[in-house]
Amino acid sequence: LNPLASLSIGDYARIWIQDKEERGLRAQSLMRYHDELRLRFNPYLGHIKLRDLSKSHFFGYLRRLQSTGIGPT
């Protein structure tokens, strides 16, 4: 079993951002990633466990972004 599978998507995203910070990603980019995570990503997908993520979750998230004018139409 993959030990990451029990993490929520939001927790995994925070770990990913932390890794980017440790690797020297610019502060401005880190701020943007944190904002996107907090404002757009976590409210819709952040609570879902990685093992439970489905295509319908992902495409629902994309539709939500499109409905707010973000992403391809």
Side-chain angles (χ1 to χ4, degrees):
L1 283 170
N2 184 341
L4 297 177
S6 64
L7 289 176
S8 70
I9 296 171
D11 288 340
Y12 182 81
R14 280 188 288 281
I15 291 168
W16 183 83
I17 291 171
Q18 183 179 10
D19 178 66
K20 296 301 176 192
E21 183 175 11
E22 290 169 2
R23 293 173 183 258
L25 189 66
R26 293 180 319 160
Q28 183 178 358
S29 296
L30 288 168
M31 241 178 16
R32 194 176 96 234
Y33 286 172
H34 280 289
D35 287 346
E36 291 294 321
L37 184 64
R38 181 176 52 83
L39 296 172
R40 293 190 178 89
F41 191 78
N42 274 344
Y44 193 79
L45 294 174
H47 64 284
I48 299 169
K49 300 287 185 193
L50 285 173
R51 67 173 169 254
D52 298 330
L53 181 64
S54 67
K55 287 181 184 179
S56 64
H57 289 124
F58 180 74
F59 288 114
Y61 176 66
L62 290 180
R63 282 191 301 277
R64 181 177 179 179
L65 290 178
Q66 289 171 343
S67 74
T68 62
I70 299 169
T73 55

